Amino acid sequence: MVKKMDNFLPLIVVFPLIMSIIFSYIYKSKIVRILTFLMALILVVLPFFGTYGTYFFGDHAIALGSTSLTSGIAYVLNPAKNVMVFTLMLIGSLILISATGEKKLNGIFTSLMLMGLASVSAIIMAEDIFNLYVFYEIATITQAGLVIASGTENAYKAAFRYLLIGTMAGSLLLLGIALLLSATGTLNIEDMRNFLANNSATPAIYGGLLMLIIGLGYGGGLPPFHTIKADMYSRARPFVASMLQTYSKFVLIALMIVILKLFGGLPYFNITRGVLIALSIGGMVFGTVMALLQNDYKKLLAYHTISQGGYVAAGLAIGTPLGIVAGIFHGINHAIYKSALFLGAHIVSKAKSSNMAKLGGLLPFMPFVAFMILCAKLATIGIPPLNGFQSKLLLIDAAMKANIPELAIIMILVSIGTFVYMMKAFYLIFLKPCSEEQIEEYKNIKISKYSVFSLAILTVLCILLGIYPDIVVDRIYPFAKDIGINWALNK
Amino acid sequence: MGVLSSNREIAVSLSFILFGSVIFYSIYSIDVVEGINALYTSTYIIPNYVTAVLFDWRGFDTLGECFILINSVLVAGMVFGKGLFNRGFLKELYRDKKTCEDMDLGFTPIIKVLAIPMSIVLMLLGIVVILGGHITPGGGFQGGSLIAAAYVLAIISFGIRKCPINFSHKFLETLESFGALTFLILGLLGMAISGYYLFNVGEIYGMNPFPSPLSIAQNGSLNVGIIPYLNMAVGLKVLAGLSTITTLLISERIIFKNIKD
């Protein structure tokens, strides 16, 4: 019964896992650097291995007989998910390329990166809520490991705190999944959605929803978990932080999609939606206020990540098709320009300090890098023709059309705050006059070509998506229409 | 300060009570729907239905759970200095220590005499539990933990240097990688034969992958597919992973070795 292999979707998850085992085994070897580079190239083509549709692991498809439920684990790949997985893998690949320029690159780091990429792409594609939980845990531990890799005392502390809270949040998420399983009798998201739509809600379902939201807050860095996330980003190496924030952005999107898919359109979703919007506004405002107070560039970027996570969550929480498109598109854009900013911080940190008061006058020494960082900054603020503008426009449009103008106003205000601190940081690092000694010091800076290459690709993507947003939006729209809810005023 | 901390305690206990009662209320009012479990409990694959769910119906979850363990071991190794970008913090911590101290709790000869036979018996039991995972209660996770527990027992009673049962760090690493790779590649085998990852391959070119004696056949079916091999892979991985964490926690030698190079 040999059947032709036609769908290589599992390889998107399994191939990085196999390589991660190999990398962790040969971690001291000299070929790690070359293999890492090769792996970075393979990662870019990996998302195209899967064909669109549902994939059933172990051939356990929809069971025949009395029940018409899916019996095994299902993964779904559609154009929207494919774009997300591709963005994730592309950023992972660029970070690996810039890591090859590091002096102390080792197999353990590459191995953890690959495990994180595999698990987050599994979280995006999983149509099975328990499988999602398993990979969520892997992603959590991976992120802690990547922070520890920088080896400073503060990194140890941040990672330990993250894992400590993670034990609680992870267990609560598992409990929520158990409650949902007991109440609906299935783990498959599509089946669960059908069950919830056709049966009245029980307290167990409410409990499950609450735990899912806690898991979402922890995985995506929404309040009240935002401080530990910000701590993680600022303590990790900047180029590692760019990967960490990409992971949590996509975990946030994936879990929001799960919540929308399961509960969107149900009568009690109204309150949930309010809670989610409140959480995301909290993230936006806290992030911006904290970022305005920072003197350290890395910390500023860390809090900025939290505030942008709030935007993504707000877009998805609105729940209309337009809101979902805006949320996912902003998530993708954010992953791109924020990675560029962190990579820029990585290059700047070669000047021995990330304290902005001690920097200044770097512009003549790295004009090209400064230009690219400026592009990324303008993108985060939302200035045309860069990608941040397109997605923020969509977000505000979605908020207005869902009749929540307050949200749109807060988004614009937060954008102004972002403008203030981003330009402040740019001035302090690149334009501020500096002393003669500093200029002497700057002359010794060696900029890694690999990092500049990665930064350049990300900047090109920022401009490209700013001019042609349809490349992404058109792919997300059918998916968003499928899971979105149409709110009417008189409802 | 006192007012602040007491306010904080009140807030914490209030939220604890509120949240706890929410959890208890939702657990108390569970009304279990049978759903897909009806299929799991009525379809015969192997005599041990739990293993059937773990390795056949939901094999990919088990793969993920293995990777949680692998990942934790990797990160635990990193905490002890393996593969860090910068070891300055660890060097600072261990600057004043000249020699590494190994834990020896100084147990009496009674414990030392009893520990070794006991741990050998436990290890054998672990092997039986792994190999019989598909027909009797047990499986890779349980058996692997038994073997690791036996190893921990031996190490605790003798101290790591004098312990008669001694696995080297490299050996454990190899074992773990081998176990994990076996699991992943058996999944690929299913993909090559049926087109589905982790397909429970019943026959490879007309051959039963795991021939079993006739006397244990139930319902006239003997074919257990690749489940025993998956059990062995998980067993190897779990025993190596847990033992690695133990050796890391019990000895400072790893840190000294990592700081040096």
Side-chain angles (χ1 to χ4, degrees), chain A residues 91 94-102 105 109 113 233 236-246 339 342-347 349-350 451, chain B residues 85:
Chain A
I91 292 173
L94 292 175
I95 303 299
L96 279 181
I97 286 174
S98 67
T100 47
E102 282 290 297
L105 175 71
F109 171 75
M113 285 277 298
Y233 300 142
R237 290 256 164 142
F239 73 101
V240 178
S242 63
M243 204 63 239
L244 297 179
Q245 65 89 12
T246 312
S339 300
F342 270 120
L343 270 177
H346 176 62
I347 295 169
S349 71
K350 299 276 179 208
S451 300
Chain B
F85 281 117

PDB file of all heavy atoms in Angstrom, chain A residues 91 94-102 105 109 113 233 236-246 339 342-347 349-350 451, chain B residues 85:
ATOM      1  N   ILE A  91      12.824  35.683   9.084  1.00  0.00           N
ATOM      2  CA  ILE A  91      13.506  36.420  10.151  1.00  0.00           C
ATOM      3  C   ILE A  91      14.476  35.505  10.878  1.00  0.00           C
ATOM      4  O   ILE A  91      15.612  35.884  11.164  1.00  0.00           O
ATOM      5  CB  ILE A  91      12.477  37.051  11.105  1.00  0.00           C
ATOM      6  CG1 ILE A  91      11.718  38.154  10.369  1.00  0.00           C
ATOM      7  CG2 ILE A  91      13.157  37.645  12.321  1.00  0.00           C
ATOM      8  CD1 ILE A  91      10.590  38.733  11.132  1.00  0.00           C
ATOM      9  N   LEU A  94      17.534  35.215   8.794  1.00  0.00           N
ATOM     10  CA  LEU A  94      18.391  36.408   8.829  1.00  0.00           C
ATOM     11  C   LEU A  94      19.140  36.518  10.157  1.00  0.00           C
ATOM     12  O   LEU A  94      20.314  36.910  10.196  1.00  0.00           O
ATOM     13  CB  LEU A  94      17.551  37.666   8.598  1.00  0.00           C
ATOM     14  CG  LEU A  94      16.977  37.796   7.187  1.00  0.00           C
ATOM     15  CD1 LEU A  94      16.074  38.992   7.078  1.00  0.00           C
ATOM     16  CD2 LEU A  94      18.090  37.889   6.165  1.00  0.00           C
ATOM     17  N   ILE A  95      18.446  36.138  11.248  1.00  0.00           N
ATOM     18  CA  ILE A  95      19.114  36.206  12.558  1.00  0.00           C
ATOM     19  C   ILE A  95      20.243  35.176  12.602  1.00  0.00           C
ATOM     20  O   ILE A  95      21.335  35.453  13.120  1.00  0.00           O
ATOM     21  CB  ILE A  95      18.115  35.938  13.695  1.00  0.00           C
ATOM     22  CG1 ILE A  95      16.958  36.915  13.653  1.00  0.00           C
ATOM     23  CG2 ILE A  95      18.796  36.021  15.048  1.00  0.00           C
ATOM     24  CD1 ILE A  95      17.310  38.327  13.797  1.00  0.00           C
ATOM     25  N   LEU A  96      19.997  33.992  12.027  1.00  0.00           N
ATOM     26  CA  LEU A  96      21.059  32.979  12.017  1.00  0.00           C
ATOM     27  C   LEU A  96      22.236  33.477  11.191  1.00  0.00           C
ATOM     28  O   LEU A  96      23.395  33.256  11.547  1.00  0.00           O
ATOM     29  CB  LEU A  96      20.533  31.662  11.452  1.00  0.00           C
ATOM     30  CG  LEU A  96      19.751  30.782  12.425  1.00  0.00           C
ATOM     31  CD1 LEU A  96      19.314  29.517  11.738  1.00  0.00           C
ATOM     32  CD2 LEU A  96      20.592  30.436  13.634  1.00  0.00           C
ATOM     33  N   ILE A  97      21.929  34.164  10.072  1.00  0.00           N
ATOM     34  CA  ILE A  97      23.024  34.680   9.240  1.00  0.00           C
ATOM     35  C   ILE A  97      23.821  35.709  10.024  1.00  0.00           C
ATOM     36  O   ILE A  97      25.059  35.700  10.012  1.00  0.00           O
ATOM     37  CB  ILE A  97      22.464  35.290   7.940  1.00  0.00           C
ATOM     38  CG1 ILE A  97      22.021  34.177   7.005  1.00  0.00           C
ATOM     39  CG2 ILE A  97      23.524  36.138   7.243  1.00  0.00           C
ATOM     40  CD1 ILE A  97      21.335  34.650   5.763  1.00  0.00           C
ATOM     41  N   SER A  98      23.119  36.594  10.750  1.00  0.00           N
ATOM     42  CA  SER A  98      23.913  37.579  11.491  1.00  0.00           C
ATOM     43  C   SER A  98      24.612  36.925  12.674  1.00  0.00           C
ATOM     44  O   SER A  98      25.630  37.430  13.137  1.00  0.00           O
ATOM     45  CB  SER A  98      23.061  38.767  11.930  1.00  0.00           C
ATOM     46  OG  SER A  98      22.135  38.367  12.868  1.00  0.00           O
ATOM     47  N   ALA A  99      24.088  35.775  13.161  1.00  0.00           N
ATOM     48  CA  ALA A  99      24.785  35.074  14.246  1.00  0.00           C
ATOM     49  C   ALA A  99      26.076  34.449  13.760  1.00  0.00           C
ATOM     50  O   ALA A  99      27.008  34.273  14.549  1.00  0.00           O
ATOM     51  CB  ALA A  99      23.883  34.004  14.842  1.00  0.00           C
ATOM     52  N   THR A 100      26.168  34.122  12.460  1.00  0.00           N
ATOM     53  CA  THR A 100      27.419  33.527  11.984  1.00  0.00           C
ATOM     54  C   THR A 100      28.567  34.518  12.067  1.00  0.00           C
ATOM     55  O   THR A 100      29.725  34.125  12.044  1.00  0.00           O
ATOM     56  CB  THR A 100      27.292  33.031  10.530  1.00  0.00           C
ATOM     57  OG1 THR A 100      26.685  34.061   9.766  1.00  0.00           O
ATOM     58  CG2 THR A 100      26.492  31.777  10.431  1.00  0.00           C
ATOM     59  N   GLY A 101      28.252  35.807  12.175  1.00  0.00           N
ATOM     60  CA  GLY A 101      29.307  36.793  12.354  1.00  0.00           C
ATOM     61  C   GLY A 101      29.780  36.909  13.792  1.00  0.00           C
ATOM     62  O   GLY A 101      30.758  37.593  14.064  1.00  0.00           O
ATOM     63  N   GLU A 102      29.073  36.238  14.715  1.00  0.00           N
ATOM     64  CA  GLU A 102      29.458  36.311  16.129  1.00  0.00           C
ATOM     65  C   GLU A 102      30.705  35.468  16.381  1.00  0.00           C
ATOM     66  O   GLU A 102      30.873  34.403  15.787  1.00  0.00           O
ATOM     67  CB  GLU A 102      28.318  35.775  17.000  1.00  0.00           C
ATOM     68  CG  GLU A 102      27.193  36.749  17.194  1.00  0.00           C
ATOM     69  CD  GLU A 102      27.597  37.909  18.073  1.00  0.00           C
ATOM     70  OE1 GLU A 102      27.913  37.676  19.242  1.00  0.00           O
ATOM     71  OE2 GLU A 102      27.628  39.051  17.574  1.00  0.00           O
ATOM     72  N   LEU A 105      29.858  31.846  18.373  1.00  0.00           N
ATOM     73  CA  LEU A 105      28.696  31.065  17.932  1.00  0.00           C
ATOM     74  C   LEU A 105      28.922  29.604  18.286  1.00  0.00           C
ATOM     75  O   LEU A 105      30.015  29.070  18.116  1.00  0.00           O
ATOM     76  CB  LEU A 105      28.528  31.208  16.418  1.00  0.00           C
ATOM     77  CG  LEU A 105      27.426  30.347  15.836  1.00  0.00           C
ATOM     78  CD1 LEU A 105      26.079  30.877  16.238  1.00  0.00           C
ATOM     79  CD2 LEU A 105      27.528  30.268  14.339  1.00  0.00           C
ATOM     80  N   PHE A 109      23.242  27.356  20.630  1.00  0.00           N
ATOM     81  CA  PHE A 109      22.438  28.527  20.260  1.00  0.00           C
ATOM     82  C   PHE A 109      21.621  28.232  19.007  1.00  0.00           C
ATOM     83  O   PHE A 109      20.412  28.453  18.971  1.00  0.00           O
ATOM     84  CB  PHE A 109      23.365  29.725  20.033  1.00  0.00           C
ATOM     85  CG  PHE A 109      22.669  30.908  19.452  1.00  0.00           C
ATOM     86  CD1 PHE A 109      21.842  31.682  20.226  1.00  0.00           C
ATOM     87  CD2 PHE A 109      22.820  31.236  18.114  1.00  0.00           C
ATOM     88  CE1 PHE A 109      21.184  32.765  19.693  1.00  0.00           C
ATOM     89  CE2 PHE A 109      22.160  32.311  17.571  1.00  0.00           C
ATOM     90  CZ  PHE A 109      21.346  33.071  18.369  1.00  0.00           C
ATOM     91  N   MET A 113      17.544  28.075  18.576  1.00  0.00           N
ATOM     92  CA  MET A 113      16.856  28.905  17.582  1.00  0.00           C
ATOM     93  C   MET A 113      15.946  28.042  16.717  1.00  0.00           C
ATOM     94  O   MET A 113      14.795  28.386  16.448  1.00  0.00           O
ATOM     95  CB  MET A 113      17.880  29.593  16.676  1.00  0.00           C
ATOM     96  CG  MET A 113      18.609  30.736  17.291  1.00  0.00           C
ATOM     97  SD  MET A 113      17.675  32.243  17.193  1.00  0.00           S
ATOM     98  CE  MET A 113      17.554  32.450  15.436  1.00  0.00           C
ATOM     99  N   TYR A 233      13.487  40.848  26.910  1.00  0.00           N
ATOM    100  CA  TYR A 233      14.006  41.434  25.676  1.00  0.00           C
ATOM    101  C   TYR A 233      15.219  42.303  25.963  1.00  0.00           C
ATOM    102  O   TYR A 233      16.175  42.333  25.198  1.00  0.00           O
ATOM    103  CB  TYR A 233      12.956  42.305  24.984  1.00  0.00           C
ATOM    104  CG  TYR A 233      11.701  41.594  24.577  1.00  0.00           C
ATOM    105  CD1 TYR A 233      10.477  42.209  24.686  1.00  0.00           C
ATOM    106  CD2 TYR A 233      11.753  40.310  24.083  1.00  0.00           C
ATOM    107  CE1 TYR A 233       9.314  41.570  24.316  1.00  0.00           C
ATOM    108  CE2 TYR A 233      10.596  39.661  23.714  1.00  0.00           C
ATOM    109  CZ  TYR A 233       9.381  40.290  23.839  1.00  0.00           C
ATOM    110  OH  TYR A 233       8.241  39.656  23.480  1.00  0.00           O
ATOM    111  N   ALA A 236      18.476  40.104  26.892  1.00  0.00           N
ATOM    112  CA  ALA A 236      19.075  39.215  25.903  1.00  0.00           C
ATOM    113  C   ALA A 236      19.992  40.024  24.998  1.00  0.00           C
ATOM    114  O   ALA A 236      19.944  41.250  24.976  1.00  0.00           O
ATOM    115  CB  ALA A 236      17.987  38.548  25.080  1.00  0.00           C
ATOM    116  N   ARG A 237      20.851  39.332  24.271  1.00  0.00           N
ATOM    117  CA  ARG A 237      21.610  40.011  23.211  1.00  0.00           C
ATOM    118  C   ARG A 237      20.620  40.625  22.229  1.00  0.00           C
ATOM    119  O   ARG A 237      19.611  39.991  21.910  1.00  0.00           O
ATOM    120  CB  ARG A 237      22.440  38.970  22.458  1.00  0.00           C
ATOM    121  CG  ARG A 237      23.552  38.422  23.269  1.00  0.00           C
ATOM    122  CD  ARG A 237      24.780  39.055  22.792  1.00  0.00           C
ATOM    123  NE  ARG A 237      25.846  38.888  23.740  1.00  0.00           N
ATOM    124  CZ  ARG A 237      27.093  38.665  23.372  1.00  0.00           C
ATOM    125  NH1 ARG A 237      27.386  38.551  22.110  1.00  0.00           N
ATOM    126  NH2 ARG A 237      28.034  38.577  24.265  1.00  0.00           N
ATOM    127  N   PRO A 238      20.904  41.832  21.702  1.00  0.00           N
ATOM    128  CA  PRO A 238      19.894  42.466  20.844  1.00  0.00           C
ATOM    129  C   PRO A 238      19.452  41.610  19.662  1.00  0.00           C
ATOM    130  O   PRO A 238      18.265  41.560  19.354  1.00  0.00           O
ATOM    131  CB  PRO A 238      20.600  43.726  20.374  1.00  0.00           C
ATOM    132  CG  PRO A 238      21.573  44.023  21.423  1.00  0.00           C
ATOM    133  CD  PRO A 238      22.019  42.715  21.983  1.00  0.00           C
ATOM    134  N   PHE A 239      20.383  40.919  19.006  1.00  0.00           N
ATOM    135  CA  PHE A 239      19.929  40.146  17.838  1.00  0.00           C
ATOM    136  C   PHE A 239      19.125  38.930  18.270  1.00  0.00           C
ATOM    137  O   PHE A 239      18.290  38.431  17.525  1.00  0.00           O
ATOM    138  CB  PHE A 239      21.090  39.770  16.913  1.00  0.00           C
ATOM    139  CG  PHE A 239      21.995  38.690  17.424  1.00  0.00           C
ATOM    140  CD1 PHE A 239      21.878  37.390  16.974  1.00  0.00           C
ATOM    141  CD2 PHE A 239      22.967  38.994  18.338  1.00  0.00           C
ATOM    142  CE1 PHE A 239      22.711  36.409  17.440  1.00  0.00           C
ATOM    143  CE2 PHE A 239      23.803  38.015  18.814  1.00  0.00           C
ATOM    144  CZ  PHE A 239      23.678  36.722  18.374  1.00  0.00           C
ATOM    145  N   VAL A 240      19.350  38.452  19.499  1.00  0.00           N
ATOM    146  CA  VAL A 240      18.519  37.373  20.018  1.00  0.00           C
ATOM    147  C   VAL A 240      17.149  37.915  20.380  1.00  0.00           C
ATOM    148  O   VAL A 240      16.120  37.270  20.147  1.00  0.00           O
ATOM    149  CB  VAL A 240      19.193  36.725  21.242  1.00  0.00           C
ATOM    150  CG1 VAL A 240      18.321  35.642  21.808  1.00  0.00           C
ATOM    151  CG2 VAL A 240      20.528  36.168  20.868  1.00  0.00           C
ATOM    152  N   ALA A 241      17.135  39.147  20.926  1.00  0.00           N
ATOM    153  CA  ALA A 241      15.858  39.755  21.309  1.00  0.00           C
ATOM    154  C   ALA A 241      14.949  39.899  20.106  1.00  0.00           C
ATOM    155  O   ALA A 241      13.730  39.756  20.212  1.00  0.00           O
ATOM    156  CB  ALA A 241      16.100  41.104  21.960  1.00  0.00           C
ATOM    157  N   SER A 242      15.537  40.167  18.930  1.00  0.00           N
ATOM    158  CA  SER A 242      14.689  40.298  17.743  1.00  0.00           C
ATOM    159  C   SER A 242      13.989  38.981  17.444  1.00  0.00           C
ATOM    160  O   SER A 242      12.850  38.964  16.998  1.00  0.00           O
ATOM    161  CB  SER A 242      15.513  40.765  16.556  1.00  0.00           C
ATOM    162  OG  SER A 242      16.477  39.822  16.256  1.00  0.00           O
ATOM    163  N   MET A 243      14.666  37.860  17.720  1.00  0.00           N
ATOM    164  CA  MET A 243      14.011  36.561  17.516  1.00  0.00           C
ATOM    165  C   MET A 243      12.938  36.341  18.574  1.00  0.00           C
ATOM    166  O   MET A 243      11.845  35.859  18.272  1.00  0.00           O
ATOM    167  CB  MET A 243      15.078  35.464  17.603  1.00  0.00           C
ATOM    168  CG  MET A 243      14.711  34.202  16.892  1.00  0.00           C
ATOM    169  SD  MET A 243      14.523  34.467  15.147  1.00  0.00           S
ATOM    170  CE  MET A 243      12.863  33.961  14.891  1.00  0.00           C
ATOM    171  N   LEU A 244      13.270  36.695  19.826  1.00  0.00           N
ATOM    172  CA  LEU A 244      12.306  36.479  20.915  1.00  0.00           C
ATOM    173  C   LEU A 244      11.008  37.219  20.641  1.00  0.00           C
ATOM    174  O   LEU A 244       9.913  36.683  20.824  1.00  0.00           O
ATOM    175  CB  LEU A 244      12.886  36.968  22.246  1.00  0.00           C
ATOM    176  CG  LEU A 244      14.130  36.281  22.772  1.00  0.00           C
ATOM    177  CD1 LEU A 244      14.562  36.926  24.066  1.00  0.00           C
ATOM    178  CD2 LEU A 244      13.843  34.828  23.003  1.00  0.00           C
ATOM    179  N   GLN A 245      11.138  38.488  20.203  1.00  0.00           N
ATOM    180  CA  GLN A 245       9.903  39.242  19.992  1.00  0.00           C
ATOM    181  C   GLN A 245       9.128  38.690  18.794  1.00  0.00           C
ATOM    182  O   GLN A 245       7.902  38.707  18.796  1.00  0.00           O
ATOM    183  CB  GLN A 245      10.186  40.744  19.890  1.00  0.00           C
ATOM    184  CG  GLN A 245      11.011  41.190  18.720  1.00  0.00           C
ATOM    185  CD  GLN A 245      10.167  41.495  17.522  1.00  0.00           C
ATOM    186  OE1 GLN A 245       8.967  41.587  17.633  1.00  0.00           O
ATOM    187  NE2 GLN A 245      10.806  41.618  16.389  1.00  0.00           N
ATOM    188  N   THR A 246       9.838  38.152  17.793  1.00  0.00           N
ATOM    189  CA  THR A 246       9.117  37.530  16.672  1.00  0.00           C
ATOM    190  C   THR A 246       8.330  36.320  17.157  1.00  0.00           C
ATOM    191  O   THR A 246       7.168  36.142  16.797  1.00  0.00           O
ATOM    192  CB  THR A 246      10.110  37.102  15.584  1.00  0.00           C
ATOM    193  OG1 THR A 246      10.982  38.186  15.333  1.00  0.00           O
ATOM    194  CG2 THR A 246       9.413  36.719  14.325  1.00  0.00           C
ATOM    195  N   SER A 339      12.611  43.548  14.223  1.00  0.00           N
ATOM    196  CA  SER A 339      13.856  42.790  14.082  1.00  0.00           C
ATOM    197  C   SER A 339      14.938  43.693  13.540  1.00  0.00           C
ATOM    198  O   SER A 339      16.095  43.630  13.967  1.00  0.00           O
ATOM    199  CB  SER A 339      13.648  41.606  13.156  1.00  0.00           C
ATOM    200  OG  SER A 339      12.679  40.771  13.677  1.00  0.00           O
ATOM    201  N   PHE A 342      16.171  45.891  16.387  1.00  0.00           N
ATOM    202  CA  PHE A 342      17.041  45.170  17.334  1.00  0.00           C
ATOM    203  C   PHE A 342      18.388  44.858  16.694  1.00  0.00           C
ATOM    204  O   PHE A 342      19.430  44.929  17.354  1.00  0.00           O
ATOM    205  CB  PHE A 342      16.365  43.893  17.817  1.00  0.00           C
ATOM    206  CG  PHE A 342      15.537  44.064  19.054  1.00  0.00           C
ATOM    207  CD1 PHE A 342      14.194  43.789  19.060  1.00  0.00           C
ATOM    208  CD2 PHE A 342      16.106  44.499  20.242  1.00  0.00           C
ATOM    209  CE1 PHE A 342      13.424  43.938  20.201  1.00  0.00           C
ATOM    210  CE2 PHE A 342      15.362  44.658  21.387  1.00  0.00           C
ATOM    211  CZ  PHE A 342      14.003  44.376  21.363  1.00  0.00           C
ATOM    212  N   LEU A 343      18.372  44.516  15.394  1.00  0.00           N
ATOM    213  CA  LEU A 343      19.654  44.268  14.719  1.00  0.00           C
ATOM    214  C   LEU A 343      20.473  45.545  14.691  1.00  0.00           C
ATOM    215  O   LEU A 343      21.695  45.524  14.866  1.00  0.00           O
ATOM    216  CB  LEU A 343      19.416  43.766  13.297  1.00  0.00           C
ATOM    217  CG  LEU A 343      19.303  42.264  13.141  1.00  0.00           C
ATOM    218  CD1 LEU A 343      18.996  41.924  11.705  1.00  0.00           C
ATOM    219  CD2 LEU A 343      20.587  41.597  13.562  1.00  0.00           C
ATOM    220  N   GLY A 344      19.783  46.677  14.470  1.00  0.00           N
ATOM    221  CA  GLY A 344      20.472  47.959  14.510  1.00  0.00           C
ATOM    222  C   GLY A 344      21.083  48.192  15.878  1.00  0.00           C
ATOM    223  O   GLY A 344      22.241  48.623  15.992  1.00  0.00           O
ATOM    224  N   ALA A 345      20.313  47.862  16.935  1.00  0.00           N
ATOM    225  CA  ALA A 345      20.841  48.009  18.286  1.00  0.00           C
ATOM    226  C   ALA A 345      22.034  47.103  18.492  1.00  0.00           C
ATOM    227  O   ALA A 345      22.991  47.468  19.194  1.00  0.00           O
ATOM    228  CB  ALA A 345      19.755  47.674  19.304  1.00  0.00           C
ATOM    229  N   HIS A 346      21.999  45.939  17.848  1.00  0.00           N
ATOM    230  CA  HIS A 346      23.131  45.013  17.953  1.00  0.00           C
ATOM    231  C   HIS A 346      24.388  45.641  17.338  1.00  0.00           C
ATOM    232  O   HIS A 346      25.475  45.562  17.909  1.00  0.00           O
ATOM    233  CB  HIS A 346      22.767  43.718  17.233  1.00  0.00           C
ATOM    234  CG  HIS A 346      23.870  42.719  17.180  1.00  0.00           C
ATOM    235  ND1 HIS A 346      24.417  42.173  18.310  1.00  0.00           N
ATOM    236  CD2 HIS A 346      24.536  42.183  16.133  1.00  0.00           C
ATOM    237  CE1 HIS A 346      25.369  41.343  17.966  1.00  0.00           C
ATOM    238  NE2 HIS A 346      25.455  41.322  16.656  1.00  0.00           N
ATOM    239  N   ILE A 347      24.200  46.287  16.184  1.00  0.00           N
ATOM    240  CA  ILE A 347      25.356  46.916  15.531  1.00  0.00           C
ATOM    241  C   ILE A 347      25.830  48.101  16.375  1.00  0.00           C
ATOM    242  O   ILE A 347      27.030  48.284  16.595  1.00  0.00           O
ATOM    243  CB  ILE A 347      24.980  47.372  14.110  1.00  0.00           C
ATOM    244  CG1 ILE A 347      24.651  46.140  13.263  1.00  0.00           C
ATOM    245  CG2 ILE A 347      26.114  48.145  13.468  1.00  0.00           C
ATOM    246  CD1 ILE A 347      24.024  46.458  11.948  1.00  0.00           C
ATOM    247  N   SER A 349      25.513  48.468  19.524  1.00  0.00           N
ATOM    248  CA  SER A 349      26.097  48.060  20.803  1.00  0.00           C
ATOM    249  C   SER A 349      27.560  47.666  20.670  1.00  0.00           C
ATOM    250  O   SER A 349      28.233  47.440  21.664  1.00  0.00           O
ATOM    251  CB  SER A 349      25.305  46.903  21.403  1.00  0.00           C
ATOM    252  OG  SER A 349      25.527  45.741  20.655  1.00  0.00           O
ATOM    253  N   LYS A 350      28.067  47.581  19.432  1.00  0.00           N
ATOM    254  CA  LYS A 350      29.514  47.368  19.254  1.00  0.00           C
ATOM    255  C   LYS A 350      30.290  48.573  19.772  1.00  0.00           C
ATOM    256  O   LYS A 350      31.490  48.498  20.004  1.00  0.00           O
ATOM    257  CB  LYS A 350      29.854  47.160  17.775  1.00  0.00           C
ATOM    258  CG  LYS A 350      29.196  45.975  17.155  1.00  0.00           C
ATOM    259  CD  LYS A 350      29.970  44.709  17.413  1.00  0.00           C
ATOM    260  CE  LYS A 350      29.253  43.542  16.785  1.00  0.00           C
ATOM    261  NZ  LYS A 350      29.451  42.279  17.412  1.00  0.00           N
ATOM    262  N   SER A 451      25.458  41.127   9.832  1.00  0.00           N
ATOM    263  CA  SER A 451      24.355  41.868  10.448  1.00  0.00           C
ATOM    264  C   SER A 451      23.839  42.929   9.498  1.00  0.00           C
ATOM    265  O   SER A 451      22.624  43.140   9.390  1.00  0.00           O
ATOM    266  CB  SER A 451      24.819  42.530  11.738  1.00  0.00           C
ATOM    267  OG  SER A 451      25.262  41.570  12.631  1.00  0.00           O
TER     268      SER A 451
ATOM    269  N   PHE B  85      27.372  32.722  25.385  1.00  0.00           N
ATOM    270  CA  PHE B  85      28.153  33.708  24.637  1.00  0.00           C
ATOM    271  C   PHE B  85      29.196  34.364  25.527  1.00  0.00           C
ATOM    272  O   PHE B  85      30.201  34.869  25.065  1.00  0.00           O
ATOM    273  CB  PHE B  85      27.222  34.784  24.075  1.00  0.00           C
ATOM    274  CG  PHE B  85      26.511  34.354  22.843  1.00  0.00           C
ATOM    275  CD1 PHE B  85      25.143  34.252  22.811  1.00  0.00           C
ATOM    276  CD2 PHE B  85      27.232  34.027  21.710  1.00  0.00           C
ATOM    277  CE1 PHE B  85      24.488  33.851  21.678  1.00  0.00           C
ATOM    278  CE2 PHE B  85      26.584  33.626  20.563  1.00  0.00           C
ATOM    279  CZ  PHE B  85      25.214  33.530  20.554  1.00  0.00           C
TER     280      PHE B  85
END
